[in-house]
Amino acid sequence: MHPKLNTRRLLWSVALLSGLSAAVSYGQGTAPGVPPVAGVVQLDPKTGALLVPLGGLVTFDPKLGPKEVLTDIIVARDDILAVRLDPNNPGKLLMTGRAAGLTQLSLVVQGRPRLVYDVLVQPDLNLLRGLIKRHVPTAAVEVSPGVGNVIVMSGFVATPQDADVVERLAITAVGSVQNVINAVQVGGGQQVQIDVVVASVDRNMLRQRGFDFLARGNSFRFASVVSGLLDPTLASQTPDFTAIPGGTFLFQGGVPAQFLGALQALRNEGIAKFIAEPRVVTQTGRPAFFRAGGQQAVISGTSGITGPGVQLVPFGTELEVVPVVYGNGMIWLEINPRISAVSQALGINIGATISPGFTEQQVRAAVMLESGQTFAIGGLIQNSVQSSSTKVPFLGDLPFVGTAFSRVSHEQRESELVILVTPRLVAPLNCEQVPGRLPGRETRNPDDYELFLENILEAPRGQRKVWNGRCYNAAWKSSPTAAQFPCAGNVNGGAGCAGGNCGVGGGNLGIIGPNGVGMANPAVHAVAPATSVQAVPVTLPPVPQPLPRAGSPVSVPGTPGSGASPEPAAVEPAPISLPPVAPPAVVIPTVPQK
């Protein structure tokens, strides 16, 4: 045969064999009968149960000896766990989780007691733990299984945003929010005290001017009652004084005509101040509510048996807040303070029933700040002016003369409101830090002598001796804190009053003598005759002299027992001793004493 033909046949044979081997290799890689790779079963460190993932496959090695033969496998609930022998290693078992739950696995071994294991089938929490560690690396969250297809999360995160991410990952793992028990807390201080200050000031000024008059003669009658100060029927009667609302100046006269006039020129000023400082303590992430006030009955839409229905509406000072402490110490607040009060002016009349209204100041805000910082979350400055003029046409427009035929009212209102909030991280008090006396417990009820003769409504706790010989002891001196507070006017340099050191020169202002003057030290209050004060010699310190210029000799006056000699300019001058100077006499003038 030709050699070229043999070469071609050989090449075709090699190609055919290569294709067949590739096909066989491809078919073996996708054979459906080969089992997937199985993991190793895990042990619960707390209970020692075997952990099998739901829908997963794991291997379990009971660690049997070489001569021990496994004769039977018993599963308490086949609907939860499926167990079979490993075909590659008969000494191991393959376990598959069918449903979430707890069951028991019993292995019967020839020649030894039965081996019993608790098996817990749960969702694959390792995947969830890996996702949490990847997306929230700063979180310290522990994921544990619950009853059924339920997982429990506990631990701490740095921010509320991290807590929301962890919760969403857990919901996607189990498929329902009802199957997630979230006990994750935001790190940081757990107790927060919220101080809120609501301060408001209302000012109003009302100016009114009006003039009414009635004139009556023998042949005429003339009246102007635009301001409503006089009764128009008086024009046909004999003029007389009548009750005029608001307080005015009246005058009457005129001969032969009779005249009655009423002038109103008022200026009313008013001011109202309000300040509220509610405080509340709550745990981070937990809402808190505070109310100090009452409930006002108003008419409701439902009817009662004997009349209209009644609804109770709360009023007063309210505070609703939700604080969240971040891991870096910042505090996030969602706060809603509300101040309301009953106002009859805003009420309505329904038949013979009056339903009151309410005035309200409220703000809702969300802020973030550190512990101890103050934030002004709301404020209001409101000015309103209302003016009105009532006058007779043409006559009321005349300058000066139109005052008698017109009425003017001008009202101006100013309102200022500011709301401050201050959060603080706090901790409970120790037993030695609890205040010994609460408000109202630091005083006692007065006895008959103190109530009827001294007009004292409450007295400090402690024994009291009203009369100390001829001196009267005030009630406040029996208080145990009298020595801790300065006297009135701080006349004793801040010393306490209980020791009798108040007053000039140690006199006690709380003790009254027969002449009505504080006389703890009678010598201080005695009137001494005016005498001249002797001159007190005063020794003044020596006055330093200026140093001489460079290159000039220094002349120093001699002192007793020593002489003076010039010093060269190039040498540092010696200390200068000055002669004593006779000081002038100081005379203190006479001080009159009481």
Side-chain angles (χ1 to χ4, degrees):
M1 186 177 292
H2 198 275
K4 293 184 177 181
L5 295 177
N6 295 331
T7 303
R8 291 178 179 177
R9 290 177 180 176
L10 181 59
L11 293 176
W12 280 107
S13 300
V14 173
L16 181 60
L17 292 175
S18 300
L20 291 175
S21 62
V24 172
S25 301
Y26 180 79
Q28 291 178 354
T30 59
V34 178
V37 180
V40 181
V41 69
Q42 302 291 332
L43 294 178
D44 190 354
K46 297 181 179 179
T47 62
L50 303 179
L51 301 180
V52 178
L54 179 63
L57 179 64
V58 294
T59 62
F60 172 58
D61 186 5
K63 299 186 183 301
L64 301 177
K67 296 182 179 181
E68 294 178 344
V69 179
L70 184 61
T71 60
D72 195 4
I73 300 175
I74 302 174
V75 180
R77 295 186 58 180
D78 294 338
D79 58 337
I80 295 178
L81 180 65
V83 183
R84 68 182 186 274
L85 292 175
D86 189 354
N88 299 326
N89 189 353
K92 295 184 179 181
L93 303 177
L94 294 178
M95 296 188 297
T96 303
R98 294 179 176 178
L102 180 64
T103 184
Q104 280 189 348
L105 173 64
S106 300
L107 303 180
V108 180
V109 183
Q110 185 179 3
R112 62 179 299 184
R114 179 180 298 184
L115 304 178
V116 181
Y117 301 93
D118 292 333
V119 181
L120 178 62
V121 180
Q122 61 184 11
D124 190 4
L125 301 180
N126 292 328
L127 176 60
L128 179 59
R129 294 188 184 98
L131 292 175
I132 293 175
K133 187 175 182 180
R134 179 186 305 174
H135 296 283
V136 190
T138 60
V141 179
E142 181 181 356
V143 182
S144 58
V147 179
N149 192 23
V150 177
I151 60 175
V152 180
M153 297 187 306
S154 60
F156 297 90
V157 293
T159 62
Q161 291 79 4
D162 294 345
D164 183 67
V165 173
V166 171
E167 183 179 8
R168 289 177 180 270
L169 291 175
I171 293 174
T172 57
V174 297
S176 176
V177 66
Q178 286 78 13
N179 295 339
V180 177
I181 300 177
N182 189 4
V184 177
Q185 299 180 2
V186 180
Q190 299 299 317
Q191 306 293 336
V192 184
Q193 174 181 316
I194 298 94
D195 302 342
V196 179
V197 178
V198 180
S200 64
V201 178
D202 294 332
R203 300 180 181 90
N204 64 84
M205 182 175 62
L206 175 62
R207 293 178 293 174
Q208 292 180 335
R209 190 265 303 156
F211 180 74
D212 288 350
F213 65 91
L214 298 174
R216 178 184 178 184
N218 296 329
S219 60
F220 73 92
R221 296 190 183 97
F222 185 74
S224 175
V225 289
V226 178
S227 302
L229 303 177
L230 297 179
D231 188 359
T233 58
L234 294 178
S236 59
Q237 304 175 4
T238 301
D240 194 3
F241 293 101
T242 183
I244 300 173
T248 55
F249 296 95
L250 302 178
F251 54 92
Q252 176 184 8
V255 178
Q258 295 179 347
F259 182 84
L260 179 64
L263 175 65
Q264 182 185 51
L266 299 178
R267 178 175 179 176
N268 298 332
E269 295 182 357
I271 184 173
K273 296 182 179 181
F274 175 83
I275 184 170
E277 299 184 12
R279 297 182 180 181
V280 66
V281 179
T282 182
Q283 190 177 8
T284 174
R286 301 294 182 179
F289 181 76
F290 171 84
R291 176 188 293 167
Q295 292 183 340
Q296 174 65 37
V298 298
I299 299 177
S300 64
T302 59
S303 300
I305 299 177
T306 59
V310 176
Q311 179 182 0
L312 297 178
V313 178
F315 68 93
T317 302
E318 297 182 1
L319 176 60
E320 184 178 1
V321 62
V322 178
V324 176
V325 182
Y326 286 8
N328 57 357
M330 299 295 292
I331 303 176
W332 180 82
L333 290 178
E334 184 177 355
I335 187 168
N336 178 27
R338 177 175 175 266
I339 308 297
S340 59
V342 180
S343 176
Q344 300 294 339
L346 301 178
I348 58 175
N349 296 334
I350 302 177
T353 306
I354 301 177
S355 181
F358 298 88
T359 61
E360 181 177 330
Q361 295 87 27
Q362 181 179 4
V363 63
R364 184 184 297 274
V367 294
M368 181 181 296
L369 61 168
E370 295 182 359
S371 176
Q373 290 183 338
T374 301
F375 218 123
I377 62 174
L380 173 67
I381 298 178
Q382 181 178 356
N383 296 328
S384 62
V385 177
Q386 295 181 359
S387 300
S388 62
S389 176
T390 305
K391 55 186 176 182
V392 178
F394 181 73
L395 294 179
D397 295 333
L398 297 176
F400 303 106
V401 179
T403 304
F405 302 93
S406 63
R407 179 185 180 185
V408 177
S409 176
H410 181 87
E411 183 178 7
Q412 181 178 359
R413 292 182 175 270
E414 297 180 358
S415 299
E416 298 181 11
L417 173 66
V418 63
I419 301 176
L420 306 177
V421 57
T422 304
R424 291 184 175 88
L425 298 178
V426 296
L429 295 176
N430 296 329
C431 58
E432 67 272 6
Q433 295 177 338
V434 178
R437 295 184 179 181
L438 299 177
R441 301 182 62 181
E442 71 279 2
T443 57
R444 58 175 174 82
N445 294 328
D447 54 19
D448 295 342
Y449 180 89
E450 295 171 334
L451 179 63
F452 296 132
L453 298 182
E454 298 181 278
N455 295 328
I456 296 177
L457 301 182
E458 58 177 359
R461 293 186 178 273
Q463 297 293 332
R464 180 193 177 195
K465 186 177 181 180
V466 181
W467 293 98
N468 185 12
R470 297 184 304 166
C471 302
Y472 167 77
N473 293 332
W476 56 265
K477 288 182 62 61
S478 61
S479 174
T481 60
Q484 301 178 8
F485 297 97
C487 301
N490 197 18
V491 296
N492 197 38
C497 299
N501 297 323
C502 279
V504 181
N508 196 324
L509 300 181
I511 299 179
I512 302 177
N515 55 356
V517 183
M519 52 167 297
N521 189 357
V524 175
H525 301 278
V527 179
T531 58
S532 60
V533 181
Q534 299 294 332
V536 179
V538 179
T539 303
L540 298 178
V543 180
Q545 300 295 330
L547 295 177
R549 298 181 179 178
S552 61
V554 180
S555 298
V556 182
T559 57
S562 64
S565 60
E567 294 287 341
V571 182
E572 183 70 17
I576 303 173
S577 298
L578 298 178
V581 181
V586 179
V587 180
I588 300 177
T590 302
V591 180
Q593 298 183 356
K594 293 183 181 181

